[in-house]
Amino acid sequence: MVNRPPTRQVYRRFSDCSVSEKLLNSLFLATMGVAYILAMVYLYTSHEGLDGKPGLSVDDVAYTYYGNRSGTRLEAALRGSMSAHLTFEERDKVVEWIYSGSPKAAFDSEIQPIFEKNCISCHSGRSGIVDLSDITEVKKLTDVDMGKSIGELARVSHIHLFGVGMLLFLIGRIFILCEMPGILKKIIVGIPFLAIFMDIGSWWLTHWKPLFAYAVMLGGGLTGLSIAFQILMSLYQMWLYKGGKKY
Ligand code: HEC
């Protein structure tokens, strides 16, 4: 019987990879990096300005998931930009109708005449601005915006968890070939998974309380930073890092 010396498990590192493996890894990481940047551009353009101000802000995130429950677009217009077009009594009548659930019968008997007298000259539907003679169009302005519904949240959440989970796994598989103290590597591999749960979990929490929009941004930012770090560190160690300490 041979007496084997106690051996330590030796793990693979980038220095064990063939050039073609490094090339494949690098092209994959670069593609994911570009895809991530484009995802950010899409996110910015689709959420920016929802709160009426340019740029992406916490309020935009809150509007997306919580909605704007403080009132309806019709009431906001009646109290704001359109207030000059009707009397206070007429306005209160319309607002009361909104709060009673905007029933069709009352629209025909009480609201339509008010719109007819004050609004239809501009809002007839011919002019391209909202048609106030059509109750289905008016109804769209009297629904309270509740943000994303539970169904929509479940839809975008599961797509993101499948997609981002897969992405983090593959990027992480490459990243763990880096030379780096074990504890540091464990943390850096773990952070993006925590961050994505924080991000997506906070979509749901923001639907419930708008304050969680801060956690959405924090989670999203942390996910992006940790992915960027893993990609850049892997590319650096694959091609530029010359030995140094082995871990
Ligand atoms: C002199 C023309 C004019 C009259 C009269 C007028 N509006 Fe408007 N209204 C506009 C224009 C133009 C816009 C679109 C531009 C904007 O959003 O500011 C608009 C926008 C709106 C919107 C905003 C829709 C949205 O996207 O949120 C509502 C609601 C509205 N009007 C309701 C009314 C009501 C109710 C009246 C009658 C009491 C009225 N308007 C009278 C010209 C008019």
Side-chain angles (χ1 to χ4, degrees), residues 72-78 81-87 90-91 94 111 114-123 127-130 132 138 141:
T72 63
R73 277 166 64 190
L74 183 56
E75 187 181 352
L78 290 175
S81 55
M82 298 293 134
S83 59
H85 299 301
L86 75 180
T87 65
E90 288 169 330
R91 185 193 70 194
V94 179
I111 306 305
I114 297 177
F115 286 174
E116 200 70 53
K117 174 172 149 242
N118 304 295
C119 322
I120 299 301
S121 55
C122 301
H123 286 278
S127 44
I129 52 177
V130 58
L132 293 179
V138 176
L141 299 168

Side-chain angles (χ1 to χ4, degrees), residues 20-34:
S20 36
E21 187 179 350
K22 290 201 268 187
L23 193 64
L24 177 64
N25 286 346
S26 302
L27 292 172
F28 172 72
L29 292 178
T31 308
M32 292 306 108
V34 172

Side-chain angles (χ1 to χ4, degrees), residues 9 16 20 37 62 65 69-70 73 75 78 81 93 111 136 154 171 188 192 195 197 202 222 239-240 246:
Q9 171 80 47
D16 304 311
S20 36
I37 290 168
Y65 297 107
R69 303 186 191 175
S70 58
R73 277 166 64 190
E75 187 181 352
L78 290 175
S81 55
K93 217 169 186 181
I111 306 305
T136 49
I171 293 177
I188 295 172
F197 272 101
S202 304
L222 204 57
W239 302 107
L240 300 170
K246 299 278 182 216

Side-chain angles (χ1 to χ4, degrees), residues 26 33 76 95 99-100 108 119 124 136 144 163 220 222 244:
S26 302
V95 170
Y99 283 101
S100 67
D108 293 340
C119 322
S124 62
T136 49
V144 174
L222 204 57

Side-chain angles (χ1 to χ4, degrees), residues 107 112 120 131-139:
F107 179 78
Q112 180 115 52
I120 299 301
D131 182 2
L132 293 179
S133 59
D134 179 357
I135 179 137
T136 49
E137 290 298 308
V138 176
K139 275 275 196 190

